[in-house]
């Protein structure tokens, strides 16, 4: 999807990131999260390709896994900033879920 955005900054601290949330149907047809990922937008001019490692939150116990599978309500983040910031994610159990490749044309 083409996105046209203009940013201006005096330093790269807190440089913009793109947060990707991928959703898809499960076995029962419920729309569930398939993965989250984030990447910093490159700040040098030119064409850039970035591969984002995707991850999905996991339930912490067998009972929670069964309940979430049975009800169709899998764990997901309510705030997308959790993916971009990383604060507090060290206590979150996640599973690797593939990759997404993004191309940037920076001017």
């Amino acid at each position: 999807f083409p996105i046209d955005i203009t940013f201006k900054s005096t330093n790269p601290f807190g440089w913009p990131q793109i947060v990707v949330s991928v959703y898809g149907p499960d076995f029962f047809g419920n729309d569930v999260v398939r993965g989250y990922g984030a990447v910093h937008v490159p700040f040098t001019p030119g064409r850039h390709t970035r591969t984002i490692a995707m991850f999905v939150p996991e339930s912490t116990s067998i009972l929670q896994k069964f309940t979430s599978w049975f009800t169709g309500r899998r764990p997901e983040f309510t705030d997308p900033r959790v993916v971009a910031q990383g604060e507090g994610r060290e206590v979150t159990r996640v599973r690797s879920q593939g990759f997404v490749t993004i191309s940037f044309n920076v001017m």
Side-chain angles (χ1 to χ4, degrees), residues 46-82:
R47 183 168 176 84
H48 305 276
T49 302
R50 298 288 188 260
T51 301
I52 304 172
M54 303 297 284
F55 60 90
V56 64
E58 285 258 310
S59 298
T60 55
S61 72
I62 300 293
L63 179 61
Q64 286 177 336
K65 286 182 184 181
F66 177 74
T67 305
S68 67
W69 177 83
F70 187 71
T71 61
R73 300 279 304 162
R74 304 234 174 111
E76 61 182 80
F77 296 126
T78 56
D79 187 6
R81 287 182 286 186
V82 172

Side-chain angles (χ1 to χ4, degrees), residues 4 18 27 51 55 70 84 86 88 101:
D4 186 10
I18 291 183
F27 183 73
T51 301
F55 60 90
F70 187 71
T101 302

